[in-house]
Amino acid sequence: MTAAVDWERLREAARDAMSRAYAPYSGYPVGVAALVDDGRIVSGCNVENASYGLGLCAECGLVSELQNTGGGRLTHFTCVDGNGDTLVPCGRCRQLLYEFGGPDLLLETPAGILPLSEMLPQAFGPGHLTK
């Protein structure tokens, strides 16, 4: 399934989102994009705040756009820095992605395409709350 995905198109959407990041404190803009199971592409950028702990990672914006445009499941994901280079999401954001994509979500990483299950092994998720 990975071969059929246009990763360059996802990277371009992430770079476009990154261009609108609000990062006056860190100077580290981040953009993300993901493919949804219905074929849509959703994206997000980081938004910092003078009270540093209130800043939003780009993945927060992506998940908000996902929900605001009809929901669904994330299937493929990429993240870029201010130079457009591929990044991996932080632990908090991996947990957020797990909620909306699950262990089979494919992430573009500097080491290649990896399932989220390898990036967040033995993850806690919604299923644990129903047991």
Side-chain angles (χ1 to χ4, degrees):
M1 183 171 185
T2 302
V5 172
D6 187 347
W7 287 99
E8 182 55 36
R9 183 174 173 217
L10 279 180
R11 277 190 300 280
E12 283 303 315
R15 289 179 186 126
D16 183 54
M18 179 271 301
S19 74
R20 289 183 295 283
Y22 179 72
Y25 307 106
S26 71
Y28 198 79
V30 175
V32 296
L35 186 62
V36 182
D37 59 1
D38 64 7
R40 282 177 296 141
I41 291 179
V42 292
S43 62
C45 62
N46 59 323
V47 178
E48 295 180 347
N49 187 280
S51 176
Y52 290 171
L54 295 179
L56 298 173
C57 293
E59 290 83 350
C60 294
L62 179 138
V63 167
S64 182
E65 182 178 330
L66 172 70
Q67 290 304 110
N68 192 43
T69 60
R73 298 295 288 169
L74 302 174
T75 61
H76 300 78
F77 173 88
T78 193
C79 179
V80 300
D81 65 15
N83 295 319
D85 296 327
T86 303
L87 292 174
V88 294
C90 71
R92 172 186 179 258
C93 290
R94 291 177 198 189
Q95 184 67 41
L96 188 62
L97 292 171
Y98 188 85
E99 183 86 12
F100 294 92
D104 297 327
L105 172 62
L106 295 178
L107 279 70
E108 182 177 40
T109 77
I113 307 302
L114 297 173
L116 185 53
S117 60
E118 287 188 33
M119 302 294 294
L120 189 65
Q122 300 183 42
F124 178 84
H128 290 95
L129 298 175
T130 59
K131 292 182 181 177

